[in-house]
């Protein structure tokens, strides 16, 4: 229940859910459940294909495996609670549950952002330095890069979560959103939120912007190398290799740019964009990576045949 005593500390929060959807709960439940099940199935198939097929034991697919793990986790941060809200009107979330949503949302979101950057570097080395590719991207380097993305993101998320929940919450406990995120939650704090808001805007802005610039620089070098290739088949193969990665990068950074460079964006636009990031993107990624990827499709055929 909403706290009516300003001196009483909040021990749980109430998520109001998606705004302006009264009477549409059943159809939204069916849609989001379908998306969630497809996300789980698609990413689990990617994991099974990469782990079972020795032909996919390469740096590119090692990072794709990490991305599938991130997508499995990212889609599970808010979707199960959103489904419970839509179906059973279960809007209450404990303080610990709210803290977990904030932590894992920024932990996995940052990990995905860094993984896209590492994958762009992998493509840059493969296309611009093909003869030295296996020497540069050896398994030790790949393990360090992957571990670095997870460790850096956990540090990033720990700082943001700690700053958010060291604030006192002693007034309303009603979060006007469908998940616990920093800005909807800190609105309820009964203390000055300048530090957390400044740190959040800085961190959430700097990390994606730095990653995007590095990805852009990688693809400028890749494009330069592809243009200089004399063999048309080599150009086609290089472009095809990068097309999937570029597509998912656009799906990830496009919504991020809208959400965090336009803080005054209305709920009518911000909420669908956030839902797209949380529910749709993790489902779309496996489809994009397998649509034209003959190696992954061959691995799927082996799984079915086996």
């Amino acid at each position: 229940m909403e706290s009516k005593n300003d001196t009483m500390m909040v021990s749980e929060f109430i998520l109001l859910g998606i705004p302006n959807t009264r009477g549409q709960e059943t159809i939204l439940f069916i849609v989001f459940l379908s998306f969630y099940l497809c996300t789980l199935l698609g990413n689990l198939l990617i994991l099974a294909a990469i782990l079972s097929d020795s032909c996919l034991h390469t740096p590119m697919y090692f990072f794709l495996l990490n991305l599938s793990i991130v997508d499995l986790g990212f889609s599970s941060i808010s979707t199960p609670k959103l489904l419970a809200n839509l179906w059973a009107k279960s809007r209450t979330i404990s303080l610990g549950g709210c803290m977990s949503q904030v932590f894992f949302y920024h932990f996995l979101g940052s990990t995905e952002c860094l993984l896209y950057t590492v994958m762009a570097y992998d493509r840059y080395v493969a296309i611009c330095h093909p003869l030295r590719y296996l020497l540069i991207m050896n398994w030790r380097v790949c393990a360090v890069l992957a571990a670095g993305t997870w460790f850096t993101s956990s540090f990033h998320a720990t700082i943001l979560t700690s700053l958010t929940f060291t604030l006192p919450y002693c007034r309303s406990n009603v979060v006007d959103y469908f998940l616990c995120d920093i800005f909807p939650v800190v609105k309820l704090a009964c203390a000055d939120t300048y530090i957390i808001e400044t740190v959040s805007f800085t961190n959430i802005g700097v990390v994606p912007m730095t990653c995007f610039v590095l990805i852009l620089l990688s693809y400028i070098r890749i494009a330069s190398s592809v243009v200089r290739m004399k063999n048309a088949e080599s150009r086609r193969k290089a472009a095809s290799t990068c097309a999937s990665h570029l597509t998912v990068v656009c799906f990830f950074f496009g919504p991020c740019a809208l959400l965090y460079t336009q803080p005054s964006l209305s709920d009518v636009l911000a909420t669908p964009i956030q839902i797209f990031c949380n529910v749709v993107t993790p489902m779309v990624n496996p489809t994009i990576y397998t649509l034209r990827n003959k190696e992954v499709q061959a691995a799927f055929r082996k799984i079915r045949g086996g």
Side-chain angles (χ1 to χ4, degrees):
M1 293 176 64
E2 182 176 344
S3 173
K4 296 181 179 180
N5 186 344
D6 283 359
T7 63
M8 187 182 298
M9 298 304 293
V10 171
S11 61
E12 62 182 27
F13 292 92
I14 298 172
L15 301 175
L16 291 186
I18 305 171
N20 305 317
T21 56
R22 186 180 296 275
Q24 303 172 37
E25 289 86 356
T26 303
I27 186 65
L28 288 175
F29 175 84
I30 295 170
V31 170
F32 291 144
L33 179 61
S34 301
F35 282 176
Y36 186 52
L37 293 176
C38 288
T39 299
L40 296 180
L41 177 62
N43 283 288
L44 287 172
L45 283 173
I46 291 279
L47 288 175
I50 294 173
L51 291 173
S52 65
D53 194 335
S54 59
C55 295
L56 301 183
H57 293 175
T58 64
M60 183 176 78
Y61 292 109
F62 171 70
F63 295 125
L64 180 56
L65 181 143
N66 278 265
L67 182 62
S68 290
I69 294 171
V70 170
D71 283 337
L72 282 170
F74 198 73
S75 64
S76 299
I77 295 168
S78 61
T79 307
K81 184 61 183 174
L82 176 60
L83 292 172
N85 191 335
L86 290 170
W87 184 256
K89 302 295 187 292
S90 175
R91 297 181 175 183
T92 303
I93 185 170
S94 67
L95 177 62
C98 193
M99 291 174 68
S100 297
Q101 280 198 340
V102 171
F103 175 80
F104 283 106
Y105 184 79
H106 291 278
F107 169 50
L108 295 175
S110 177
T111 303
E112 185 162 7
C113 186
L114 293 172
L115 272 174
Y116 286 141
T117 310
V118 170
M119 293 170 80
Y121 174 71
D122 172 69
R123 292 300 83 208
Y124 158 73
V125 176
I127 293 171
C128 298
H129 305 283
L131 299 179
R132 297 167 54 204
Y133 175 63
L134 293 178
L135 181 64
I136 297 172
M137 298 299 294
N138 59 66
W139 283 112
R140 183 178 178 181
V141 170
C142 291
V144 169
L145 287 172
T149 63
W150 290 95
F151 177 77
T152 304
S153 299
S154 66
F155 181 68
H156 164 81
T158 300
I159 291 174
L160 294 177
T161 307
S162 300
L163 288 173
T164 301
F165 290 97
T166 50
L167 293 170
Y169 293 91
C170 52
R171 295 175 185 152
S172 174
N173 64 345
V174 178
V175 179
D176 191 13
Y177 212 42
F178 66 93
L179 83 158
C180 286
D181 196 7
I182 293 172
F183 298 116
V185 170
V186 297
K187 289 179 182 178
L188 309 178
C190 47
D192 184 19
T193 59
Y194 175 77
I195 293 177
I196 177 60
E197 289 179 350
T198 303
V199 172
S200 298
F201 271 121
T202 303
N203 280 22
I204 295 170
V206 167
V207 172
M209 183 57 68
T210 303
C211 291
F212 181 75
V213 169
L214 291 173
I215 292 170
L216 188 62
L217 291 174
S218 296
Y219 274 99
I220 289 173
R221 294 293 302 275
I222 289 170
S224 176
S225 295
V226 170
V227 168
R228 291 200 300 268
M229 290 178 180
K230 296 180 181 179
N231 189 304
E233 179 62 21
S234 297
R235 287 199 299 271
R236 187 202 63 77
K237 187 175 180 180
S240 177
T241 302
C242 297
S244 299
H245 183 250
L246 274 173
T247 304
V248 296
V249 164
C250 291
F251 272 122
F252 181 82
F253 285 98
C256 281
L258 285 173
L259 282 173
Y260 295 111
T261 62
Q262 303 291 331
S264 60
L265 203 65
S266 68
D267 289 343
V268 176
L269 293 176
T271 303
I273 293 171
Q274 190 89 58
I275 291 172
F276 180 86
C277 294
N278 292 15
V279 179
V280 180
T281 301
M283 180 194 70
V284 170
N285 283 353
T287 307
I288 293 171
Y289 275 110
T290 58
L291 203 58
R292 298 176 60 188
N293 191 313
K294 294 180 180 179
E295 292 173 322
V296 176
Q297 290 174 1
F300 287 157
R301 285 195 293 270
K302 288 180 183 178
I303 293 174
R304 288 201 303 269

